[in-house]
Amino acid sequence: MLRSVQPEQLDSLDTSDPDAQASRRDLVRINRLMGNYRWFQRTLQTATTHTIHCLEIGAGGGELATRLTARADFANYAAVDLAPPPANWPASATWYQGDILDYPGYDHAELLLANLILHHFSNTQLASLGAAINASGIRHILANEPCRRSIHKIQLRAGRLIGFNPVTLYDGSVSIDAGFLGLELPEKLGLDPATWTCKIRTTAMGAYRME
């Protein structure tokens, strides 16, 4: 499968649309089924040796931030997303509403978190983001994205059995097509192997994880 980035239906729906609300609930369930939240929590416990300045890109509904800030001590937790902050956004964290690629605060972060967001970016956009990372103070990246394998589309279709919304099923397939394999993500970000040590693993539930 060649990587293909296409628009997702959720991005064009108003936040009050019932399909949009159902799909966002499905995304929380998908994150739980894939074990994404647990992976971030577990990896952070071993990845950081001091309180750290953390930046989450594409924070969405704030589910990951809520879990992490309740369990870890950050010097600062900031997030950037096109949407306004969710109602339950942690009081200890900051929110920047705007384009991830235009965010001015990369240099203030040491740790970058990305959960199911980088697959939305074209190769050109990933290169632009990578340039901002390389020019910043970021020294650690945890990214969780879809793994681009056909088997995971079959798994996704099984979501009908537990009531996944049609928007979720469509967008999930598009997301898998835009996902990553092997060293694609660090290469597309332009992370020089002479500077960055990258660990990649994939899971049976369709996660592609880069540390």
Side-chain angles (χ1 to χ4, degrees), residues 65-122:
T66 299
R67 287 165 172 79
L68 295 182
T69 55
R71 294 169 174 81
D73 182 22
F74 296 99
N76 179 57
Y77 194 106
V80 56
D81 197 290
L82 283 173
N88 61 344
W89 182 246
S92 61
T94 58
W95 184 279
Y96 177 88
Q97 184 177 354
D99 192 316
I100 290 168
L101 297 176
D102 295 330
Y103 178 63
Y106 284 102
D107 199 46
H108 302 300
E110 298 172 87
L111 168 68
L112 181 72
L113 305 181
N115 185 39
L116 301 181
I117 183 64
L118 297 178
H119 68 279
H120 290 277
F121 293 179
S122 68

Side-chain angles (χ1 to χ4, degrees), residues 16 20 28 39 57 59 63 65 72 85 91 102 104 118 125 128 131 138 140 146 148 171 185 210:
S16 63
V28 174
W39 176 73
I57 56 174
E63 293 85 6
D102 295 330
L118 297 178
Q125 290 171 321
S128 178
I138 293 170
H140 208 134
R148 197 176 69 252
D171 285 358
L185 182 54
M210 181 186 80

Side-chain angles (χ1 to χ4, degrees), residues 9-156:
Q9 292 180 352
L10 181 59
D11 295 334
S12 64
L13 295 177
D14 187 86
T15 55
S16 63
D17 188 294
D19 284 330
Q21 294 174 350
S23 186
R24 287 191 177 88
R25 289 193 295 270
D26 289 342
L27 284 173
V28 174
R29 289 200 286 174
I30 287 171
N31 272 290
R32 288 172 176 162
L33 288 168
M34 293 174 70
N36 297 337
Y37 301 138
R38 292 193 303 276
W39 176 73
F40 279 102
Q41 291 167 359
R42 184 173 64 250
T43 307
L44 273 175
Q45 288 175 354
T46 58
T48 58
T49 58
H50 63 285
T51 55
I52 199 165
H53 294 269
C54 177
L55 172 64
E56 181 186 355
I57 56 174
E63 293 85 6
L64 179 61
T66 299
R67 287 165 172 79
L68 295 182
T69 55
R71 294 169 174 81
D73 182 22
F74 296 99
N76 179 57
Y77 194 106
V80 56
D81 197 290
L82 283 173
N88 61 344
W89 182 246
S92 61
T94 58
W95 184 279
Y96 177 88
Q97 184 177 354
D99 192 316
I100 290 168
L101 297 176
D102 295 330
Y103 178 63
Y106 284 102
D107 199 46
H108 302 300
E110 298 172 87
L111 168 68
L112 181 72
L113 305 181
N115 185 39
L116 301 181
I117 183 64
L118 297 178
H119 68 279
H120 290 277
F121 293 179
S122 68
N123 293 344
T124 300
Q125 290 171 321
L126 288 172
S128 178
L129 175 62
I133 292 171
N134 281 315
S136 75
I138 293 170
R139 293 295 176 267
H140 208 134
I141 303 170
L142 298 181
N144 179 78
E145 296 296 326
C147 181
R148 197 176 69 252
R149 292 197 178 102
S150 298
I151 183 63
H152 303 312
K153 289 193 174 187
I154 297 173
Q155 294 171 322
L156 175 67

